[in-house]
Amino acid sequence: MPEPAAWRYDKITKPMFDVPAEHVILVGRVLTMAGDVFEDGFVEMMDGKITAVGERGRLGAGDAAGEAGAAGEADTAGEAGVVVEHTGGTIMPGLINSHAHLNWDGIHDLARQSMDDPRPISAFKAAANMLKSLRAGVTMVRDLGFHDMNLFSKQAVAQGIFPGPRLKVCGAAIIQTGGHTYWVCREASGADEMRRAVREQVRGGADLIKIMACHDTLEFTDEELAAVIDEAHRNGLPVTAHATYDACIERVARFGVDCIEHGGSMSEETVALLLEKEIPIVTTFAPLVQQSQPDIARRFGIPEWKIEERKKAVADPTRYEGLVRAARAGVSIVFGTDAGSPAVEHDVIAPELAHMVKVGVCENALDALASITVRAAKVSRMEHLVGTLEEGKAADVIVVDGRPDEDLFALDRVQTTFVEGRRMHG
């Protein structure tokens, strides 16, 4: 394991935001995402863990949880004074956004924010977006870079300086000098400098390494690409690659990355390679979807020519053929929104999921929910802890007004969010 980041050695006398883990029983419809749906069920949480989940009848008819209660009603039952909440909604695992940028505000130009925002302003934007994420039911964010600012977001949450979701962060994304989005990445040239760039993110406490592998052309020499992937793996970190067309996707998969961001056109041979190496794809349709809707796009200052371009692109089925082919072949498709992009604020969830179903990379609403829970947990190597409602797992739980496995836009009505049993919203 790498040496811990320097802040890990800090002595924290008391967190600034010391939200206690509750002992609570949530009663309602339970969508476990582990195969079970309990139409009249419960989830019990204590000490940050899920201690029981199942049919409400298991609780016994004599206690308050076993009796019918009005939606939103809270009771106290038992000697321990456990709170029982009759939610009237669907109880399900917390949502995971596997591609987001907390320091981008979802409104303004990305390059200008990246070059012009003072670092304190970037920090405030991340704080605001963590709150937006929690209110949208997002209990874990995989932040894929804005310089190295996500390292400080991670520290702030871990040390109780600011309330936020769980964070998996890459530090600064790594790019060849002058490469795609060089203005927000760690530039490097040559194999040795690539290794240095990886080690800098490791030293800062990164959970993964992100590389920008292409734009209009392939980026990195073979020696550079091999070095950045090898150095990450030597330090025990996975590598994810921005890769948007077949030649790039095939190349980074062959060189050994662990995940593909965005995806795009893919040959049968590339799909087979992804399957062989068990490499997932995190799709990010939200910028396209949001910017193609004039009533939304105009509020964010998207120019008319861009709206027309996006409308044509979103309606073009050939744009999705590679991703659909991969999904049908069995490649794991995972939810991400590229949150922070213009018109994609950090509480935009349902439009991405709905589009995943519409274009065919997810079979139905339940499969789309798997992409934002159980499959997303696996991408971040957290499936042992989160992603499903099962006894012994962390109490990352949300309550939704409605049935999101039937209507994905029910996720616009998140009533309550718990992270590790701590009530962060509602």
Side-chain angles (χ1 to χ4, degrees):
M1 292 294 292
E3 189 77 9
W7 60 265
R8 293 285 187 186
Y9 295 97
D10 293 347
K11 178 184 177 182
I12 304 300
T13 302
K14 181 184 179 299
M16 290 175 61
F17 283 86
D18 194 5
V19 181
E22 298 183 24
H23 185 189
V24 61
I25 296 174
L26 302 176
V27 177
R29 181 173 184 263
V30 179
L31 183 62
T32 67
M33 296 309 300
D36 293 315
V37 179
F38 302 108
E39 292 296 334
D40 186 16
F42 78 98
V43 175
E44 183 173 11
M45 301 181 288
M46 183 170 61
D47 297 329
K49 299 285 187 183
I50 296 172
T51 55
V53 56
E55 295 285 358
R56 182 159 60 161
R58 281 179 49 190
L59 293 169
D63 61 35
E67 299 169 359
E73 184 179 289
D75 305 302
T76 300
E79 295 180 4
V82 56
V83 174
V84 179
E85 293 187 13
H86 300 274
T87 67
T90 296
I91 306 159
M92 64 176 289
L95 310 178
I96 300 170
N97 192 341
S98 293
H99 191 126
H101 303 271
L102 286 167
N103 299 93
W104 280 333
D105 57 22
I107 303 171
H108 299 100
D109 179 75
L110 303 184
R112 292 265 55 98
Q113 289 182 80
S114 302
M115 292 186 282
D116 299 345
D117 278 1
R119 285 170 73 88
I121 293 299
S122 295
F124 275 116
K125 287 184 177 181
N129 287 327
M130 286 193 284
L131 292 180
K132 278 191 172 185
S133 298
L134 290 170
R135 292 167 184 168
V138 175
T139 56
M140 186 163 77
V141 172
R142 187 167 167 262
D143 188 310
L144 296 188
F146 176 99
H147 304 294
D148 62 351
M149 289 296 292
N150 56 28
L151 299 173
F152 300 98
S153 299
K154 185 178 180 71
Q155 178 181 353
V157 173
Q159 292 185 333
I161 295 169
F162 195 85
R166 298 177 188 271
L167 297 180
K168 291 292 181 179
V169 303
C170 69
I174 298 172
I175 181 61
Q176 70 176 35
T177 301
H180 180 47
T181 66
Y182 69 88
W183 29 261
V184 75
C185 297
R186 178 17 172 125
E187 296 178 88
S189 293
D192 287 347
E193 187 64 16
M194 292 294 166
R195 292 185 185 275
R196 180 184 293 275
V198 171
R199 291 173 186 178
E200 288 172 358
Q201 312 322 309
V202 171
R203 181 182 61 195
D207 301 295
L208 69 153
I209 297 298
K210 182 189 178 186
I211 61 173
M212 307 295 286
C214 61
H215 187 44
D216 294 333
T217 61
L218 298 177
E219 304 197 346
F220 299 109
T221 65
D222 285 356
E223 293 77 13
E224 289 171 337
L225 186 58
V228 74
I229 294 170
D230 177 66
E231 192 61 36
H233 288 165
R234 286 182 64 249
N235 283 277
L237 300 188
V239 181
T240 196
H242 169 109
T244 56
Y245 52 87
D246 184 64
C248 182
I249 297 168
E250 187 278 333
R251 183 181 187 228
V252 295
R254 176 164 41 87
F255 271 73
V257 301
D258 303 284
C259 185
I260 301 296
E261 303 299 321
H262 310 297
S265 61
M266 279 175 280
S267 66
E268 296 287 355
E269 292 76 14
T270 298
V271 171
L273 183 61
L274 296 181
L275 280 170
E276 176 191 341
K277 296 197 169 191
E278 299 183 345
I279 300 173
I281 302 171
V282 179
T283 59
T284 53
F285 298 127
L288 185 67
V289 172
Q290 296 294 93
Q291 293 172 17
S292 69
Q293 299 178 63
D295 57 329
I296 294 174
R298 288 174 185 141
R299 295 205 309 268
F300 290 87
I302 306 298
E304 292 298 319
W305 68 264
K306 189 69 171 180
I307 296 172
E308 290 304 312
E309 179 185 88
R310 292 301 206 186
K311 285 167 68 176
K312 291 177 182 177
V314 80
D316 179 8
T318 64
R319 185 183 183 92
Y320 314 108
E321 286 177 352
L323 289 167
V324 172
R325 184 183 301 117
R328 290 177 178 170
V331 173
S332 180
I333 303 296
V334 178
F335 170 95
T337 62
D338 217 352
S341 300
V344 188
E345 296 183 271
H346 289 258
D347 52 4
V348 172
I349 303 297
E352 174 82 27
L353 290 168
H355 200 69
M356 293 171 82
V357 176
K358 180 180 179 180
V359 301
V361 299
C362 289
E363 293 181 7
N364 50 40
L366 185 61
D367 187 40
L369 292 181
S371 79
I372 197 173
T373 54
V374 60
R375 293 203 294 268
K378 189 173 182 180
V379 161
S380 287
R381 302 182 176 183
M382 293 284 283
E383 68 269 28
H384 63 289
L385 195 64
V386 298
T388 59
L389 300 184
E390 297 178 88
E391 293 179 19
K393 283 196 170 183
D396 288 18
V397 180
I398 65 172
V399 179
V400 178
D401 176 16
R403 302 166 75 94
D405 51 326
E406 299 172 5
D407 173 17
L408 289 165
F409 284 89
L411 291 174
D412 289 343
R413 303 186 299 275
V414 172
Q415 297 175 323
T416 314
T417 304
F418 291 89
V419 178
E420 207 168 0
R422 296 172 295 132
R423 192 183 300 260
M424 308 300 282
H425 165 64

